């Protein structure tokens, strides 16, 4: 049988770039106030607890919105999901501008909530976008680029606000809200960025390319109206996928928590807003480099499980070194440890997205991504509440130690995903059958429905 070939369009890279902008802006809005917690509290005339809640809102809203977002992405397509995500972000970022005091602070809460409601539509989409627009040989790299835009957005959220907002000692009796007027400028900047991302999404992103870029994408089009609910049921019955969710949830929850409270953890050791922002930025830039390396590696080898375990082991060890290195006047050493931590830990997000999509194929890619991120949000909510208590009790080192322990536990759970065998790479297996012209197996649904233990993995773990 002759080999089957699929065509792709160059527009896929423009679509990916616009999606990256949407997710970037959303992530920047998420952590806008994380590095200027004290200054934002002074500007809005509220306690720092309320400022922390502005970040936690994203975790609270993600859980109830996740399943409706996944259903809309499968039922109505990628374009509709991205329009909802970027549109809600545009409106929400505009509302944040109205908050100028404690009386108008509810406008900030509502605006932040709208941005948070839009996040699942964006955060659940990288694997789906790569499946809809990209061939199998570029899929992991596209997912890495798409999901990494969240890291860039987080970096912007860490770095940009301190540029416009000067550090203020909250214990100074002469401090007034006008001393933190830079918060208003930050809100304006992110509002403009959100509006641009929505307009570009509306004008340029289509429902999909003229023809499917791969066999696996062609197989799931069009999806049956009941397939989503069937996929959810199968996902919750897959013990290997649930183990992956638990492992990923611990890791993502730890990272999100660290991003939220890092400023409060390092300030007692003499580090100001700029220095903590540098530390965070180094971690994220290193994570971007690590994500690129991981994407290329996975596209060539498909060794999802082996790379996942290796990366998490090294990243957890880097976090342990960061815990041991915490002391005044050690910014360079902290940046080195943070960079190593980011290089190996941050790539596990796109890596787990792709692994989850392989394990649950032919389910829509937004489902495994949504379930994975939901796990991280659940852990994040609990972690932030617990760690905030520890910080209030001035137990800063203990907080770092518990984060490190959670990362090592996450690594152990990743090691048992699939048992002694690697999880079945169902999507990749199907693509190879079809492109090789294996007519007898092109529509072999039984292969896709067998459990991981019944089917030997195609490639090494």
């Amino acid at each position: 049988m002759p080999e089957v070939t699929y065509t792709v369009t160059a527009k896929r890279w423009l679509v990916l770039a616009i999606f990256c902008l949407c997710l970037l802006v959303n992530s920047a809005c998420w952590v806008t106030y994380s590095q200027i917690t004290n200054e934002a509290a002074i500007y809005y005339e509220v306690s720092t607890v309320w400022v922390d809640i502005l970040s936690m809102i994203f975790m609270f809203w993600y859980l109830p919105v996740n399943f409706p977002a996944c259903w809309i992405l499968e039922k109505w397509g990628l374009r509709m999901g991205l329009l909802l995500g970027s549109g809600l972000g545009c409106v929400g970022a505009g509302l944040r501008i109205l908050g100028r005091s404690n009386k108008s602070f509810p406008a900030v809460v509502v605006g932040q909530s709208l941005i948070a409601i839009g996040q699942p539509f964006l955060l659940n989409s990288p694997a789906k976008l790569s499946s809809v627009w990209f061939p199998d040989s570029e899929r992991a790299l596209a997912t890495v680029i798409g999901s990494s835009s969240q890291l860039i957005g987080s970096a912007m959220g860490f770095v940009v606000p301190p540029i416009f907002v000067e550090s203020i000692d909250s214990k100074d009796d002469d401090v007034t809200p006008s001393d933190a007027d830079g918060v208003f400028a930050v809100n304006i900047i992110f509002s403009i960025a959100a509006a641009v991302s929505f307009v570009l999404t509306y004008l340029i992103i289509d429902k999909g390319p003229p023809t499917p870029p791969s066999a696996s994408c062609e197989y799931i089009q069009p999806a049956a109206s009941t397939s989503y609910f069937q996929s959810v049921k199968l996902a919750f019955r897959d013990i290997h996928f649930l183990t992956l969710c638990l492992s990923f949830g611990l890791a993502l929850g730890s990272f999100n928590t660290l991003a939220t409270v890092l400023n409060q953890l390092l300030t007692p050791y003499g580090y100001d807003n700029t220095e903590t922002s540098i530390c965070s930025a180094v971690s994220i830039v290193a994570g971007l480099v690590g994500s690129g390396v991981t994407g290329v590696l996975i596209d060539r080898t498909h060794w999802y499980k082996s790379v996942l375990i290796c990366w998490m082991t090294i990243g957890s060890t880097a976090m342990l070194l960061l815990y041991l290195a915490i002391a005044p006047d050690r910014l360079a050493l902290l940046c080195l440890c943070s960079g190593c931590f980011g290089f190996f830990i941050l790539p596990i997000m796109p890596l787990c997205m792709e692994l989850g999509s392989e394990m649950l194929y032919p389910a829509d890619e937004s489902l495994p991504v949504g379930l994975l991120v939901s796990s991280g949000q659940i852990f994040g909510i609990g972690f932030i509440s617990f760690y905030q208590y520890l910080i209030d009790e001035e137990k800063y080192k203990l907080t770092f130690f518990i984060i490190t322990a959670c990362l090592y536990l996450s690594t152990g759970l990743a090691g048992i995903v699939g048992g002694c065998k690697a999880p079945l790479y169902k999507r990749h297996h199907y693509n190879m059958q079809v492109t090789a012209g294996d007519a007898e197996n092109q529509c072999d649904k039984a292969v896709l429905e067998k459990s991981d233990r019944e089917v030997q993995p195609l490639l090494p773990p």
Side-chain angles (χ1 to χ4, degrees), residues 9-210:
T9 173
K11 187 179 179 180
R12 66 190 187 279
W13 295 108
L14 178 59
V15 171
L16 179 61
I18 295 173
F19 168 76
C20 287
L21 176 62
C22 293
L23 186 53
L24 180 153
V25 173
N26 185 276
S27 300
C29 289
W30 180 2
V31 297
T32 298
Y33 308 107
S34 295
Q35 299 300 316
I36 54 170
T37 303
N38 293 329
E39 292 74 17
I42 293 170
Y43 178 75
Y44 292 122
E45 300 178 286
V46 296
S47 68
T48 56
V49 173
W50 275 105
V51 178
D52 287 335
I53 287 175
L54 292 177
S55 294
M56 293 179 65
I57 281 175
F58 280 74
M59 300 180 188
F60 283 114
W61 274 113
Y62 187 93
L63 299 175
V65 178
N66 173 49
F67 286 106
C70 290
W71 182 82
I72 290 174
L73 283 167
E74 179 175 354
K75 183 68 176 179
W76 301 103
L78 186 66
R79 172 179 164 82
M80 178 59 70
L82 298 186
L83 282 174
L84 285 171
S86 59
L88 288 168
C90 179
V91 176
L95 283 176
R96 296 198 311 179
I97 299 175
L98 301 179
R100 302 298 299 270
S101 67
N102 60 350
K103 294 182 180 180
S104 55
F105 184 71
V108 181
V109 177
V110 173
Q112 197 77 343
S113 295
L114 290 177
I115 301 172
I117 292 171
Q119 187 185 57
F121 294 97
L122 302 173
L123 201 55
N124 294 358
S125 296
K128 182 176 180 64
L129 185 146
S130 65
S131 176
V132 171
W133 284 90
F134 288 82
D136 187 45
S137 60
E138 299 173 349
R139 187 171 288 163
L141 181 60
T143 301
V144 163
I145 294 174
S147 59
S148 294
S149 60
Q150 184 190 20
L151 306 181
I152 301 175
S154 297
M156 289 183 60
F158 290 142
V159 174
V160 173
I163 294 176
F164 293 91
V165 182
E166 297 182 1
S167 296
I168 299 175
D169 185 359
S170 58
K171 296 180 181 179
D172 190 343
D173 295 333
D174 297 328
V175 170
T176 63
S178 61
D179 294 326
D181 273 344
V183 175
F184 180 74
V186 171
N187 288 338
I188 290 287
I189 292 171
F190 287 139
S191 177
I192 294 173
V196 170
S197 67
F198 172 70
V199 171
L200 290 177
T201 300
Y202 179 79
L203 295 177
I204 296 177
I205 296 184
D206 301 320
K207 291 183 178 180

Side-chain angles (χ1 to χ4, degrees), residues 205-421:
I205 296 184
D206 301 320
K207 291 183 178 180
T211 59
S214 66
S216 58
C217 180
E218 184 178 32
Y219 174 78
I220 62 175
Q221 294 180 348
S225 59
T226 59
S227 62
Y228 171 73
F229 302 100
Q230 294 171 349
S231 298
V232 171
K233 181 179 178 180
L234 291 173
F236 280 100
R237 292 173 58 186
D238 189 330
I239 187 63
H240 302 304
F241 177 75
L242 293 178
T243 304
L244 179 66
C245 281
L246 185 58
S247 172
F248 179 79
L250 281 168
L252 181 61
S254 297
F255 172 76
N256 287 343
T257 302
L258 189 63
T260 302
V261 303
L262 182 63
N263 178 266
Q264 299 173 67
L265 287 174
L266 293 183
T267 298
Y269 294 93
Y271 298 99
D272 58 24
N273 290 345
T274 301
E275 290 173 325
T276 56
S277 296
I278 291 173
C279 195
S280 300
V282 167
S283 176
I284 290 176
V285 170
L288 293 174
V289 176
S291 295
V293 173
T294 303
V296 174
L297 179 63
I298 292 301
D299 270 333
R300 293 186 178 183
T301 65
H302 294 270
W303 292 354
Y304 297 96
K305 183 178 176 181
S306 295
V307 175
L308 177 62
I309 296 173
C310 182
W311 267 217
M312 291 187 69
T313 301
I314 300 175
S316 300
T317 303
M319 187 64 197
L320 175 61
L321 295 176
L322 178 63
Y323 158 72
L324 296 174
I326 294 175
D329 302 321
R330 288 186 177 180
L331 180 61
L333 182 58
L334 293 180
C335 286
L336 178 63
C337 294
S338 297
C340 185
F341 170 77
F343 185 93
F344 291 103
I345 287 295
L346 297 186
I348 71 170
M349 183 171 185
L351 178 57
C352 287
M353 287 180 179
E354 282 295 295
L355 178 55
S357 297
E358 292 284 348
M359 295 173 71
L360 295 188
Y361 181 80
D364 188 85
E365 287 82 3
S366 62
L367 175 61
V369 174
L371 292 175
L372 286 166
V373 178
S374 292
S375 177
Q377 304 292 42
I378 292 172
F379 278 105
I381 292 172
F383 284 166
I384 289 181
S385 301
F386 177 59
Y387 293 149
Q388 191 63 59
Y389 166 77
L390 293 179
I391 291 172
D392 291 341
E393 296 294 322
E394 300 184 354
K395 298 178 180 180
Y396 309 111
K397 296 280 280 187
L398 178 60
T399 303
F400 271 107
F401 176 80
I402 295 176
I403 293 176
T404 304
C406 288
L407 288 171
Y408 274 112
L409 177 58
S410 174
T411 303
L413 289 170
I416 63 175
V417 171
C420 297
K421 300 177 181 179

